[in-house]
Amino acid sequence: MRITIIGSGNVATHLSAAFKNAGHRIAQVYSRSMHNAALLAYHVGAEAIDNPEDINADTDIFILAIKDDAIPEFLQHLSSFDKLVVHTSGAVDMQEILKLTDKAGVFYPLQTFSKTKEVNFWDVPLCIEGADETVTKTLEELARSISNNVYRVNSAQRKVLHLAAVFACNFTNHLYGIGEQLLAGRNMDFNMLRPLIAETADKIKEHSPADVQTGPAVRNDEFTMQAHLKMLEGKPGLQELYTLLSQDIIKNHNKPNGDK
Amino acid sequence: MRITIIGSGNVATHLSAAFKNAGHRIAQVYSRSMHNAALLAYHVGAEAIDNPEDINADTDIFILAIKDDAIPEFLQHLSSFDKLVVHTSGAVDMQEILKLTDKAGVFYPLQTFSKTKEVNFWDVPLCIEGADETVTKTLEELARSISNNVYRVNSAQRKVLHLAAVFACNFTNHLYGIGEQLLAGRNMDFNMLRPLIAETADKIKEHSPADVQTGPAVRNDEFTMQAHLKMLEGKPGLQELYTLLSQDIIKNHNKPNGDK
C-alpha cells in the first residue's frame, strides 16, 4: 500500500519502519518540524513535508500518529482527499474520524516505543477497528503484513485496553521507581532489584498474575505488613499506597466463596 | 563446604541445587514432611530427615530456609552444635540468630522462586550479613561460589530491600492482575497486554524508571485521567488506586524546582 504518515514521534517512527520492511511505500511524512519529518522520511524513503498544504493525494491511507488532542484539528487538512484515514490512539473514539469520512478506522499498536530501542514489530499487538467491513478487512490485511498479533477491537474495548495498560505498565513503572527511591534512601543500588523485576515480568508470560501472586498481603502476614508501614512513617503517600494495594490483594485472594 | 539445609520450599530447593552444582556437599535436608525432604535430598545427594533430633554435627553451616515465624523456635534444635547458622529471610533481623550463637549470619537471595521454573542463579542478588568479619568473609565466599551478584547488606538495609521488593514486584504483579481483570470484563484476552508488560520491564534494564515514565499522569493529561476515572465508576477501590498512583507520579515528576 501507499501510506502517508502524519507525525514523526515514536509511534510514527516504529510504524513507518515496519511498513517499509514489509514492502509498503511510505509516500509522505508530515511533521510540524521539518527536521523531524526529514529525519524519518530519509529512513523510509519518503518525501518530508512540514506544511499540511503539501499533502498530496498520491496515497492509499493516512495514518495519524500525533497527540490525541491534535487529531480533530488536523483532520480538516485531509477533507479534500477521499482516502482511508486512521488514527493510532488508544483513547480517541473512531467517531472523531467518522466526522470527516466514512472511510474511517483505528490502527492502535499496544506497545510502548522509545526511539532508541528496537522493538520486534511482529510481536506488537495491533488493535484495529474500521467503520465498515471493507475498511476493517483492509486494515486487518495491512496489520497482518507487519504483526502476528492482530485484534479486532471496538472503541469501547480499546479504551478499556488503554486503561488496563495504564495499570499494568505506567503504574508498574512508577512502582519500580518507588523501589529505586527506597533503595537510594539506604545507599543501595537499583541493580539489586533489577533481576527480581525481570523475573516478576517473566513469570506472567505463562501464568495468570493471580496464580503467581506472592508477598505479605497474599499470605495475610499482618506482622510484616505492620512492620513495612512503620518503615514508611513520614511518607504518608507511600503508606496509603501500601495499605490500598495490600487490601486489594487480600480482597482478591480471599473471595467470599473461599476460593484462593 | 558441607551444608545442612533446613526447609524444602522454593528457596531451599533452588539454593541447594546451586550449592550442589558449585561442588559443595549438602549433608542433610530437614523438612517436617519426610516426602518433601526426601524429594529434595534425592536431587542433591543428601540425607533426608524429618526429626530435628536427627540433625548431626557433620556440617559447616546450617541454612534456615523456613517461614519467618518458624525461625526462632527452630533455632533451639541447633543449640548443641557450634556451627555457623544463617537464615534466608528478607524481613528477620540477624539478632534472632545471635540469640543462639555468635557464628550468626544472613544469606538472603533477592529473587522470587517457583519450583517449576528454572532460575539462573548466577544472576540472583545474594545479600549477606555476618556477625563478625570472619563470618561475613565465609558467607561472601560461599555466596560468590554460586552468584555473580553478592552484596554486603546490614539488617536495616535488608528490610528496606524487602519493602522495595514488595512495591516493585508483589504490587506490580497485582497491577498486572488488575489489567487482566479489566480486559476480561470486556472479553479481551490477557495476551493482548503481555508484550507491553514485557517491554515495560525490559526498558528499566538500562534506564532509571523515572526516566522512562509514560502515560497520562506524567503528561498531566487531565482529560484522559478523568475519562479513566469515569470508566472505573462502580469500582471505588480501583478509582482510589488510580488517583493515588497518578497523584504520586505527578508529584514526582513536577518537583518544586521545576525538574522533570
Side-chain angles (χ1 to χ4, degrees):
Chain A
M1 282 179 89
R2 296 170 302 172
I3 298 168
T4 300
I5 300 285
I6 310 298
S8 60
N10 293 337
V11 172
T13 300
H14 285 270
L15 260 185
S16 302
F19 286 135
K20 168 83 176 168
N21 287 339
H24 300 286
R25 185 164 83 76
I26 312 295
Q28 295 184 306
V29 172
Y30 164 86
S31 169
R32 280 179 307 181
S33 146
M34 180 49 100
H35 174 78
N36 292 344
L39 211 62
L40 176 52
Y42 174 79
H43 280 290
V44 296
E47 181 193 2
I49 52 173
D50 64 352
N51 184 343
E53 290 179 17
D54 293 334
I55 295 172
N56 70 42
D58 180 24
T59 191
D60 299 306
I61 182 171
F62 291 102
I63 298 184
L64 278 73
I66 56 181
K67 287 208 174 97
D68 287 4
D69 50 12
I71 293 172
E73 203 189 344
F74 196 88
L75 286 173
Q76 58 172 323
H77 300 304
L78 307 176
S79 58
S80 60
F81 310 109
D82 185 32
K83 300 292 166 90
L84 195 50
V85 178
V86 301
H87 72 63
T88 54
S89 162
V92 176
D93 209 288
M94 185 175 65
Q95 285 297 331
E96 286 296 330
I97 296 183
L98 274 170
K99 289 177 189 164
L100 176 82
T101 171
D102 287 346
K103 295 179 180 170
V106 178
F107 200 93
Y108 171 49
L110 183 57
Q111 188 48 286
T112 172
F113 299 107
S114 327
K115 275 202 179 147
T116 54
K117 192 166 180 303
E118 285 279 339
V119 162
N120 180 0
F121 219 96
W122 289 107
D123 294 336
V124 174
L126 284 177
C127 305
I128 58 151
E129 180 181 13
D132 58 41
E133 187 60 21
T134 311
V135 172
T136 306
K137 282 232 166 91
T138 305
L139 294 180
E140 202 159 41
E141 199 178 327
L142 180 63
R144 287 202 176 131
S145 72
I146 58 173
S147 169
N148 290 321
N149 292 312
V150 179
Y151 299 92
R152 288 189 179 203
V153 164
N154 65 37
S155 286
Q157 285 177 312
R158 183 161 33 80
K159 285 174 189 172
V160 170
L161 213 42
H162 187 244
L163 174 62
V166 168
F167 275 97
C169 299
N170 301 153
F171 289 165
T172 281
N173 185 73
H174 184 58
L175 294 183
Y176 297 162
I178 290 172
E180 182 175 35
Q181 283 175 25
L182 289 170
L183 261 57
R186 287 277 184 171
N187 295 314
M188 291 185 287
D189 196 277
F190 185 54
N191 273 333
M192 298 178 78
L193 264 187
R194 283 190 162 110
L196 182 54
I197 287 174
E199 180 69 12
T200 302
D202 212 49
K203 267 188 179 176
I204 59 92
K205 284 183 180 163
E206 308 208 336
H207 295 279
S208 169
D211 293 341
V212 293
Q213 183 67 50
T214 54
V218 72
R219 294 194 306 268
N220 222 328
D221 176 350
E222 271 296 335
F223 182 82
T224 301
M225 289 189 278
Q226 288 305 324
H228 283 167
L229 286 173
K230 204 168 154 58
M231 289 168 70
L232 291 171
E233 266 171 16
K235 294 170 179 163
L238 292 188
Q239 279 185 326
E240 204 181 337
L241 196 53
Y242 188 98
T243 304
L244 201 56
L245 281 161
S246 296
Q247 283 172 348
D248 206 46
I249 291 173
I250 293 168
K251 202 177 67 190
N252 266 272
H253 290 265
N254 295 283
K255 295 283 166 64
N257 59 5
D259 283 356
K260 281 272 171 187
Chain B
M1 282 179 88
R2 295 172 301 171
I3 298 168
T4 300
I5 301 286
I6 309 297
S8 59
N10 293 338
V11 172
T13 301
H14 286 271
L15 260 185
S16 302
F19 285 135
K20 168 82 176 168
N21 287 340
H24 299 287
R25 184 163 83 76
I26 312 296
Q28 295 185 305
V29 172
Y30 165 85
S31 169
R32 281 180 306 181
S33 146
M34 181 50 99
H35 175 77
N36 292 344
L39 211 63
L40 176 52
Y42 174 79
H43 280 292
V44 296
E47 180 192 1
I49 51 173
D50 64 351
N51 184 344
E53 288 178 18
D54 293 334
I55 295 173
N56 71 43
D58 179 25
T59 190
D60 298 307
I61 182 170
F62 291 102
I63 298 186
L64 278 72
I66 55 180
K67 288 208 173 97
D68 287 6
D69 50 12
I71 294 173
E73 202 191 344
F74 196 88
L75 287 172
Q76 58 171 322
H77 300 303
L78 307 176
S79 58
S80 60
F81 310 109
D82 185 34
K83 301 292 165 93
L84 195 51
V85 178
V86 301
H87 71 64
T88 55
S89 162
V92 176
D93 207 289
M94 185 175 63
Q95 285 298 331
E96 287 296 330
I97 297 184
L98 273 170
K99 290 176 189 165
L100 175 82
T101 171
D102 287 345
K103 296 180 180 168
V106 178
F107 200 93
Y108 171 49
L110 184 55
Q111 187 51 282
T112 172
F113 299 107
S114 326
K115 276 206 178 143
T116 54
K117 192 166 181 301
E118 286 279 339
V119 161
N120 181 359
F121 220 96
W122 289 106
D123 294 337
V124 175
L126 284 178
C127 306
I128 58 150
E129 180 181 13
D132 58 41
E133 187 60 21
T134 311
V135 173
T136 306
K137 283 232 166 90
T138 304
L139 294 179
E140 201 159 43
E141 199 179 324
L142 181 62
R144 286 204 176 129
S145 71
I146 58 171
S147 169
N148 290 321
N149 293 313
V150 178
Y151 300 92
R152 288 189 179 203
V153 164
N154 64 37
S155 287
Q157 286 177 311
R158 183 161 31 81
K159 285 174 190 172
V160 170
L161 212 43
H162 187 244
L163 174 62
V166 169
F167 276 98
C169 299
N170 301 154
F171 288 165
T172 281
N173 185 73
H174 183 60
L175 293 184
Y176 298 161
I178 291 173
E180 181 176 35
Q181 282 175 23
L182 289 170
L183 262 56
R186 287 276 184 173
N187 294 315
M188 291 185 289
D189 196 276
F190 186 53
N191 272 333
M192 298 178 79
L193 264 187
R194 283 189 162 110
L196 182 55
I197 287 174
E199 180 70 13
T200 302
D202 213 50
K203 267 188 178 174
I204 59 92
K205 285 184 179 162
E206 307 209 336
H207 295 279
S208 170
D211 294 341
V212 293
Q213 184 66 50
T214 55
V218 73
R219 295 194 306 269
N220 221 329
D221 177 350
E222 272 294 337
F223 182 81
T224 301
M225 288 189 279
Q226 287 307 324
H228 282 168
L229 286 174
K230 205 169 154 56
M231 289 167 69
L232 290 171
E233 267 171 15
K235 294 171 179 162
L238 291 187
Q239 279 186 325
E240 204 182 337
L241 195 53
Y242 188 98
T243 303
L244 200 56
L245 282 160
S246 295
Q247 283 171 349
D248 206 46
I249 292 173
I250 292 168
K251 202 177 69 191
N252 266 272
H253 290 266
N254 295 283
K255 294 282 168 61
N257 59 6
D259 283 354
K260 282 274 171 185

